[in-house]
Amino acid sequence: MIKGINDFKNVFFIGVAGVGMSAIAQYLSGINKNVSGSDRYFKDGEFNETKEKLEAEGIKCFLQNGDGISAETDLVVVSTAIEDTVFEVQKAKQLNIPIIKRSELLALIAKSKKTIAVGGTSGKSTTSAMLFEILEQAGMQPSIISGAGLTRIIKEGKIGNAKVGAGEWLVIEADESDGSIVQYHPEIGLLLNIDKDHPEIDELMSIFGIFKNNSKKFIVNQSNTLAKQLSQNIKNDFASDENSEAGYIAKDFTQNGFCISFIIHNSTFIINSIGKHNMENALAAITVACQIGVDLETCASALKTYEGIYRRNQVLGNKNGVWVIDDYAHNPVKCASAIAACQPVADKVIAWF
């Protein structure tokens, strides 16, 4: 029975190239576990960038044919996309190797650190990245397990969605779409927003309610109608509404081209990003950071050099006066925010969904 991360040494991921799986695989490799994995996208003799980057991190990659699983394997990890009929799952069962889901393993990792779990239907990856950057600037040497690659880490030749730090804090992205967020018991739970996405609203409210009860401290966005209903203490919360009684309020938002600015408690923040939604993401990260001892000046300094994350208002370039921006937006609220963020950049915006 696997009850903690000290209960295994040799771990195998089925579907290791997935963004959620690869992040955990890299994290475990970074804490000296023997990590290997397979993926259906790995083909014999065919180049795969993710495979190459995983192997550079010491993660041995196999074709999805069962060769990577042996009697020495202590644990097999599967994502929700891996069915029981997959040959490698059957082989693990034949060898009596414990099999757990990705979210269960992430919950075990979260138990081993002082964890900040970032939840909400929008903005989790960006907020996680911003918070990680702030804690790094503060010298806290944090770790991160995210759902998207941080540009700064990608520039190091890595996938960018995980990093192991020597400090006690871990930032994770807590996913509500499959209900797995209820497995985490973080030091701090952060709720960015609640809008219609994968589950229905009633189900989301129930899931996030459990997330609140599982968190030692719970911080919510008072400017989101549904999220504020789950507030634990308004003085710990944040808002972009200047009339709110939240403890952390962002004021005087402006966007000039690809740069936004705003003020929190008389401190000015300037970020190379676009959109009011990214001000809210930054405000959320700042609120958490301040409550674990980081000052506003350090937050501002960190966010001034923030480079963004993969496919979140990512500027691909300009040709013949046309800017091309790639964004992962995939529900109505996200699409609206992504389009609104682009409107101050140019007179005409073409949104291709």
Side-chain angles (χ1 to χ4, degrees):
M1 182 73 175
I2 305 293
K3 294 184 178 179
I5 61 169
N6 294 324
D7 292 342
F8 62 89
K9 180 67 177 177
N10 305 310
V11 54
F12 186 90
F13 288 77
I14 304 175
V16 72
V19 66
M21 296 283 270
S22 66
I24 297 176
Q26 291 168 89
Y27 180 88
L28 291 178
S29 181
I31 61 170
N32 299 315
K33 301 293 184 185
N34 295 327
V35 184
S36 56
S38 66
D39 201 278
R40 62 191 172 119
Y41 291 110
F42 297 163
K43 307 293 183 186
D44 203 13
E46 196 174 290
F47 173 76
N48 184 287
E49 184 180 0
T50 301
K51 178 175 178 285
E52 185 176 78
K53 289 180 176 179
L54 288 170
E55 289 182 332
E57 296 294 316
I59 298 166
K60 193 169 183 182
C61 294
F62 293 86
L63 303 181
Q64 205 166 72
N65 60 9
D67 286 351
I69 298 174
S70 70
E72 282 73 47
T73 306
D74 299 322
L75 178 67
V76 168
V77 186
V78 297
S79 70
T80 50
I82 305 298
E83 302 90 355
D84 284 348
T85 53
V86 170
F87 172 69
E88 288 179 311
V89 174
Q90 296 298 317
K91 182 173 181 180
K93 288 181 176 179
Q94 288 166 11
L95 294 172
N96 292 316
I97 300 168
I99 302 171
I100 64 172
K101 296 204 178 293
R102 181 199 69 86
S103 57
E104 294 175 80
L105 180 53
L106 181 54
L108 294 180
I109 294 169
K111 274 171 59 178
S112 71
K113 304 281 279 186
K114 291 181 77 170
T115 296
I116 302 163
V118 181
T121 46
S122 301
K124 294 186 290 293
S125 297
T126 299
T127 303
S128 297
M130 288 177 167
L131 180 55
F132 173 77
E133 296 280 5
I134 291 170
L135 300 186
E136 278 235 308
Q137 181 85 10
M140 291 185 171
Q141 297 180 277
S143 301
I144 186 170
I145 297 174
S146 177
L150 282 68
T151 299
R152 182 170 62 80
I153 304 177
I154 291 172
K155 284 182 175 179
E156 298 172 10
K158 303 176 186 294
I159 297 172
N161 53 354
K163 187 170 183 178
V164 176
E168 61 183 351
W169 288 99
L170 166 66
V171 180
I172 68 167
E173 186 175 324
D175 188 12
E176 81 293 334
S177 65
D178 60 0
S180 61
I181 192 170
V182 302
Q183 298 178 66
Y184 311 124
H185 292 76
E187 193 79 15
I188 298 174
L190 173 62
L191 179 57
L192 301 171
N193 40 56
I194 303 175
D195 296 298
K196 181 72 180 76
D197 201 359
H198 303 283
E200 296 297 328
I201 291 294
D202 287 348
E203 186 181 350
L204 283 171
M205 290 299 290
S206 174
I207 289 169
F208 286 126
I210 296 169
F211 178 46
K212 170 188 174 178
N213 293 335
N214 288 347
S215 304
K216 289 184 183 177
K217 177 180 276 192
F218 199 62
I219 296 169
V220 308
N221 180 1
Q222 285 284 331
S223 295
N224 182 267
T225 303
L226 294 173
K228 72 178 183 180
Q229 295 177 25
L230 296 174
S231 176
Q232 187 183 74
N233 181 346
I234 194 169
K235 294 304 177 187
N236 293 336
D237 296 340
F238 62 96
S240 55
D241 175 7
E242 295 188 19
N243 298 315
S244 173
E245 295 179 6
Y248 298 83
I249 297 174
K251 302 178 180 180
D252 301 334
F253 171 81
T254 59
Q255 180 174 330
N256 184 9
F258 289 101
C259 181
I260 61 173
S261 64
F262 51 93
I263 294 171
I264 302 172
H265 292 332
N266 298 318
S267 292
T268 300
F269 289 80
I270 300 170
I271 308 176
N272 292 315
S273 189
I274 59 175
K276 193 170 183 179
H277 66 292
N278 276 321
M279 177 192 74
E280 282 201 351
N281 292 335
L283 172 60
I286 292 160
T287 299
V288 173
C290 286
Q291 292 183 51
I292 59 174
V294 182
D295 58 58
L296 287 170
E297 185 180 349
T298 301
C299 293
S301 176
L303 292 176
K304 198 165 188 176
T305 58
Y306 171 69
E307 296 184 60
I309 57 174
Y310 179 66
R311 295 197 67 207
R312 306 304 193 274
N313 290 126
Q314 184 179 11
V315 179
L316 300 184
N318 182 302
K319 188 169 184 179
N320 300 328
V322 178
W323 287 103
V324 179
I325 297 172
D326 187 16
D327 197 88
Y328 185 68
H330 57 272
N331 72 25
V333 171
K334 293 175 182 175
C335 290
S337 295
I339 293 167
C342 293
Q343 286 170 333
V345 174
D347 292 332
K348 295 180 180 179
V349 175
I350 297 172
W352 183 1
F353 179 71

